């Protein structure tokens, strides 16, 4: 039971990192990306390659993941600077679809559909460590950074951007730089999540970095509540424990288990949006992000 | 995990075990837990049902035969054929359900689950995926299905015999497709054939008209399809609808009702493990008869493989019960390597040091919605 | 000859893309609702038709498919989108709610109709050699004809009738409509009914050509969305043309690249448009 809980907690922590970083650009900067799994994947491949080729040092793997994902976030910053709203969503979907094709084809880097296997267990100073504490520390640091950035001048620039971009520009804020930086921070965070994911699973392939995964992370942010610090965390816990919780229900016939899980998950998303559109943590009375 | 539920489960176990419980083993009334990690939802859910049906029948037979002192029960976890869900499900099976034996399918899930099986020393058995990269993942990871390169290897002489020398390959570029591509490229010329074109398609592709146009241009004598799941049916329909009249051939993944039932699949030729349901061994015939009685259709390769996977467990556990040894991963593995040869559906099957099964290959043709062995 | 073959095949696929994309664009243009469950409408229509076809009732099946699509579209508008919009729900709230519905529909179809591939078996989809090495199925002509007839009818409706003009005005200025005594609620329902109905013929034809699976809506949705953006938001003509273009691009690309890249081509086109011409083919200048 403990090992099961620890495994689930690790996955939850990793997805909370994803949700928190996505929330940073969605909630504070109004950039609705449906390509977060791409950067999760980039980080995972980078981290896995470091562990496979050099040493399974989790810190180095996370660094590599963050650098690669953060650097390539420019691919997404480019359309973000040109368009917004549903146009940007479409652009990010396009990027997501192309990335899946590239991940499947770039075999030397990603192992193709077969993926990368036998990623060594992470060792820190020669001692094998579990991914759970690492993921929790990373999550805490990212939440802390989010809170600090949000309160600082940078956060105010972003929020001005989200609420009225042209006004922000007129006030002399450097919109392009702010958007690019926010994107780089969020994607680097997703990259760290990816590196931890690769070390935790010992195996990665393209199937973990698809559009469905991106939408799942997006759903976590929305269900938890955009623009709140704890919302993404709540969203991650709910969406990940929902199927696991359902797995304990004994009376569902085995052949329909999956379908029932998916239906409950889909219904929950829809009903929450109808009855609590600001998310579980979000406050309806306060102003909220609109696209 | 609530208290009442545990109690209920224990009670159920007692009820099932009561008629044949061994008096000296009072505590051994808990069922053996056979975990399954199959896609029960998502695009590959069809397989999950096929896999489960085979396993469920094997459990019924074992109970009818009083093979084991303790009953067996299935604990299903949905993977959607995705690795991450596979690992979550596997850790649950190992740690919460204390599964004695886990059945998996699909390459990516198998590869993600194998390290967990290795660490927990719990046997995981694949009976669905046939990628050669599944060999030797862990001492605790076995394959009860001959891996695909063995099938393709055995297929080439048949193709040459039919004078199908120019082969075009439509494949998904995963380790399995890759292995088949490599084999056709090197082995066909040796046998006097030629690989005239290879066309990689994404797993999610649905439009095959344009691919068919490219295939046609390569003027093949036959088109080899190396995909799996519903996509195979779409490829077959896409080829047939768009002017490809030459034989379509492939490997055992074609043995699913979605494919065999479609009119376009008439005449499709594919390899599989050898199953002679009318003249084969007693185990084979019983399986075929009872399967048809229970599910109303002829069994396919996957039904048989997962039946075999569970039967293998029952045979091994029986040995261990007789020894008085605990039924765990290490002991199961030790017994597998000691016995090596088992009487399974399809005949005698032998396992090598890695836990890979080899069996005879047969060539089948789809005729009138049925799979007919032709060689 | 390969080029001609690929072009014709692309036109057939493109005609179907154009129909679904136009439906999506009609809804999006008039109501600004990003109807992500449009793919689910498509899947429902396809499976309803399949059910009737298997019962030997193709024509009632076509009507039932259209009816099912319309009912589902209206249900979405009435029970999902309208309550959300009452709370000033953001574009993304709508998106997630619709996505949830799409997940539910996909799994219900799997439970009811069985999982995996299903197709309508008809000689119409079987291609014959019309020119040396060029194969064409009768369904090619049907797809093209259906697309043309529906577009002519739709544009006549939008330009000639009171309701049609109102529908076009809805996107630009809902307040003005109210001043003229038109109900924006009723017009929004009209948009959903028409847009959803457009998906049904495409679904029926797809059931005959490539076949269906319970997840078929996903791809349809992505293409519709891409076509709407590439065509220019608010332009039905643009969405239809872009749908056609994406279908052709996907197919003709095989003349030049290996088969595995075909699917990526559509999204490359989309991405390029967003970066270099975000207003789309026919769109008005898009504000940043």
């Amino acid at each position: 039971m403990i090992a099961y809980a620890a495994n689930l907690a690790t996955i939850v922590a990793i997805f909370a990192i994803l949700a928190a970083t996505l929330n940073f650009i969605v909630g504070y900067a109004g950039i609705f990306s449906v390509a977060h799994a791409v950067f999760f994947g980039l980080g995972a491949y980078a981290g896995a390659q470091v562990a496979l080729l050099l040493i399974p040092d989790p810190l180095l793997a996370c660094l590599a993941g963050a650098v690669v994902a953060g650097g390539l976030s420019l691919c997404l910053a480019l359309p973000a600077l040109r368009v917004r709203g549903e146009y940007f969503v479409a652009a990010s979907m396009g990027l997501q679809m192309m990335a899946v094709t590239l991940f499947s084809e770039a075999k030397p880097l990603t192992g193709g559909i077969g993926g990368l296997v036998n990623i060594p267990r992470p060792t820190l100073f020669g001692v094998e460590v579990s991914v759970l504490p690492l993921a929790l520390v990373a999550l805490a640091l990212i939440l802390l950074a989010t809170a600090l950035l949000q309160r600082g001048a940078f956060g105010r620039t972003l929020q001005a951007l989200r609420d009225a971009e042209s006004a922000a520009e007129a006030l002399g804020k450097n919109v392009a730089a702010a958007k690019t930086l926010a994107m780089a921070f969020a994607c680097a965070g997703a990259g760290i999540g990816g590196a931890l994911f690769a070390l935790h699973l010992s195996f990665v392939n393209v199937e973990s970095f698809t559009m469905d995964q991106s939408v799942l992370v997006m759903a976590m942010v929305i269900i938890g509540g955009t623009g709140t610090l704890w919302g993404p965390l709540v969203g991650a816990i709910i969406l990940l424990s929902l199927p696991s919780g359902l797995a304990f229900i004994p009376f569902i016939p085995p052949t329909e288990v999956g379908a029932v899980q998916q239906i409950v998950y889909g219904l929950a998303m829809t009903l929450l949006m109808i009855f609590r559109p600001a998310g579980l943590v979000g406050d309806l009375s306060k102003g909220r992000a609109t696209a | 995990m609530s208290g009442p539920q545990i109690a209920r489960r224990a009670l159920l176990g007692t009820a099932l075990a009561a008629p044949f419980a061994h008096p000296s083993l009072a505590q051994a009334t808990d069922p053996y837990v056979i975990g399954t990690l199959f896609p029960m939802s998502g695009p590959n859910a069809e397989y999950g049902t096929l896999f489960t049906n085979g396993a469920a029948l094997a459990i019924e037979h074992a109970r009818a035969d009083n093979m084991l002192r303790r009953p067996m029960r299935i604990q299903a976890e949905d993977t959607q054929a995705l690795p991450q869900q596979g690992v979550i499900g596997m850790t649950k099976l190992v740690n919460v359900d204390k599964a004695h034996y886990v059945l998996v399918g699909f390459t990516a899930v198998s590869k993600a689950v194998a390290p967990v099986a290795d660490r927990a020393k719990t046997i995981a058995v694949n009976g669905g995926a046939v990628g050669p990269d599944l060999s030797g993942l862990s001492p605790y990871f076995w394959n009860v299905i001959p891996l695909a390169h063995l099938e393709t290897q055995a297929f080439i002489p048949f193709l040459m015999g039919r004078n199908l020398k120019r082969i075009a390959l439509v494949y998904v570029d995963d380790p399995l497709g890759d292995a088949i591509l490599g084999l056709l490229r090197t082995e066909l010329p040796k046998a006097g054939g030629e690989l005239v074109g290879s066309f990689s398609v994404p797993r999610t592709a649905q439009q095959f008209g344009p691919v068919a146009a490219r295939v046609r241009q390569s003027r093949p004598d036959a088109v080899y399809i190396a995909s799996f799941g519903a996509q195979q049916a779409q490829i077959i329909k896409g080829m047939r609808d768009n002017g490809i009249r030459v034989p379509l051939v492939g490997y055992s993944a074609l043995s699913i009702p979605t494919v065999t039932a479609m009119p376009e699949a008439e005449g499709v030729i594919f390899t599989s493990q050898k199953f002679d349901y009318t003249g084969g061994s007693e185990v084979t015939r019983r399986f075929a008869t009872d399967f048809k009685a229970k599910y109303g259709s002829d069994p396919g390769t996957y039904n048989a493989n997962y039946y075999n996977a569970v039967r293998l467990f029952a045979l091994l556990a029986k040995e261990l019960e007789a020894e008085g040894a605990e039924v765990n991963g290490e002991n199961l593995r030790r017994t597998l390597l000691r016995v090596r040869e088992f009487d399974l559906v399809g005949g005698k099957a032998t396992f090598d040091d890695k836990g890979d099964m080899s069996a005879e290959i047969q060539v089948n043709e789809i005729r009138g919605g049925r799979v007919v062995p032709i060689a | 000859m390969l080029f001609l073959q690929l072009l014709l095949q692309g036109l057939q696929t493109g005609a179907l893309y154009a129909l679904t994309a136009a439906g999506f664009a009609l809804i999006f243009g008039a109501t600004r609702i990003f109807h992500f469950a449009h793919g689910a409408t498509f899947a429902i229509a396809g499976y309803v038709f399949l059910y009737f076809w298997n019962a030997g009732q193709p024509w009632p099946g076509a009507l039932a498919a259209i009816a099912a699509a319309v009912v589902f579209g209206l249900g979405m508008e009435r029970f999902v989108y309208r309550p959300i919009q009452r709370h000033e729900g953001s574009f993304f709230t709508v998106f997630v709610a619709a996505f949830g519905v799409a997940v539910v529909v996909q799994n219900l179809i799997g439970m009811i109709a069985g999982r995996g591939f299903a197709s309508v078996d008809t000689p119409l989809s079987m291609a014959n050699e019309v020119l040396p090495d060029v194969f064409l199925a009768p369904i090619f002509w049907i797809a093209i004809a259906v697309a043309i007839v529906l577009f002519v009818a739709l544009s006549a409706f939008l330009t000639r009738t009171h309701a049609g003009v109102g529908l076009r005005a809805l996107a630009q200025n809902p307040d003005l409509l109210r001043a003229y005594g038109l109900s924006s609620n009723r017009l929004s329902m009209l948009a959903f009914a028409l847009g959803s109905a457009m998906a049904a013929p495409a679904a029926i034809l797809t059931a005959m050509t490539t076949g269906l699976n319970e997840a078929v809506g996903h791809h349809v949705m992505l293409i519709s969305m891409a076509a709407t953006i590439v065509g220019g938001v608010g332009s039905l003509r643009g969405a239809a043309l872009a749908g056609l273009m994406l279908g052709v691009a996907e197919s003709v690309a095989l003349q030049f690249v290996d088969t595995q890249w075909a699917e990526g081509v559509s999204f490359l086109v989309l991405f390029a448009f967003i970066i270099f011409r975000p207003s789309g083919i026919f769109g008005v200048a898009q504000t940043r």
Side-chain angles (χ1 to χ4, degrees), chain B residues 156 160 164-167 184 187-195:
Chain B
I156 290 175
M160 296 305 115
L164 302 173
K165 297 207 174 326
R166 296 170 57 83
I167 307 291
L184 291 178
E187 299 300 314
L188 272 175
K190 286 184 202 161
E194 189 189 349
L195 181 67

Side-chain angles (χ1 to χ4, degrees), chain B residues 45 200 214 216 237 241-242, chain C residues 5 9 115 127 208 254 259:
Chain B
S200 158
R214 286 278 300 266
R216 241 178 24 234
K237 187 162 163 40
D241 273 0
N242 290 287
Chain C
Q5 175 75 65
Q9 245 144 9
R115 302 175 184 102
M208 295 178 172
L254 290 199
T259 41

Side-chain angles (χ1 to χ4, degrees), chain A:
Chain A
M1 192 72 207
I2 289 171
Y4 171 62
N7 174 59
L8 202 57
T10 312
I11 302 266
V12 167
I14 288 171
F15 274 84
I17 291 175
L18 290 182
T21 51
L22 181 63
N23 178 47
F24 186 75
I25 46 175
V26 171
Y28 301 127
I31 301 170
F32 289 104
S33 160
V34 201
H36 218 46
V38 174
F39 300 96
F40 181 49
L42 287 171
Y45 287 130
Q49 291 291 9
V50 165
L52 282 168
L53 300 176
L54 301 171
I55 44 166
D57 182 330
L59 300 180
L60 199 62
C62 286
L63 183 69
V67 169
V68 170
L72 287 172
S73 71
L74 281 177
C75 296
L76 201 57
L78 201 61
L81 297 178
R82 299 271 300 166
V83 295
R84 44 186 323 194
E86 41 284 292
Y87 284 81
F88 179 74
V89 171
S92 64
M93 279 185 179
L95 181 74
Q96 170 72 58
M97 298 304 287
M98 284 189 290
V100 168
T101 307
L102 285 175
F103 286 167
S104 313
E105 296 300 326
K107 283 190 188 169
L109 298 175
T110 65
I113 298 176
L116 301 171
V117 278
N118 288 328
I119 301 166
R121 307 290 292 160
T123 51
L124 209 50
F125 312 114
V127 185
E128 187 174 313
V129 287
S130 150
V131 174
L132 180 60
L134 299 168
L136 289 176
V137 169
L139 176 62
L141 288 176
I142 282 170
L143 286 177
L144 187 68
T146 310
L148 291 177
L149 281 174
Q150 180 207 350
R151 283 192 199 128
F154 183 57
R156 283 197 298 277
T157 308
L158 286 182
Q159 276 162 49
L161 248 175
R162 175 193 72 189
D163 296 333
E165 185 166 328
S166 8
E169 207 160 11
L171 286 172
K173 308 269 191 199
N174 190 339
V175 170
K179 273 193 172 178
T180 312
L181 270 179
M183 201 81 100
F185 170 73
C187 292
I192 292 175
L196 293 171
F197 181 75
L199 292 175
H200 177 61
L201 246 57
S202 305
F203 165 78
V204 286
N205 84 343
V206 62
E207 282 160 316
S208 299
F209 315 122
T210 57
M211 169 108 177
D212 285 346
Q213 196 82 293
S214 281
V215 175
L216 177 71
V217 176
M218 180 53 86
M220 289 171 183
V221 173
I222 303 266
I223 285 176
T226 51
T228 61
L229 193 58
W230 300 107
L233 199 61
V234 172
I237 292 171
I238 291 181
L239 283 192
L240 288 174
S241 53
L242 189 69
S244 314
L246 282 174
F248 282 104
I249 299 177
F251 57 80
I252 301 170
T255 45
E256 301 298 344
V257 165
V260 172
Q261 278 179 6
Q262 292 281 306
I263 287 171
V264 171
Y265 157 80
L267 268 182
M269 273 164 72
T270 307
L271 293 178
L272 265 172
M273 289 306 100
I274 295 176
F275 297 108
R276 273 199 77 95
L280 289 175
V281 178
D283 185 353
L284 269 178
S285 59
K286 276 190 355 196
R288 43 174 278 96
T290 45

Side-chain angles (χ1 to χ4, degrees), chain B residues 212 216 238-246, chain C residues 126-128 135:
Chain B
R216 241 178 24 234
M239 296 291 139
R240 283 290 180 244
D241 273 0
N242 290 287
I244 291 191
R245 308 281 184 254
V246 298
Chain C
M126 186 60 81
N128 300 304
F135 284 72

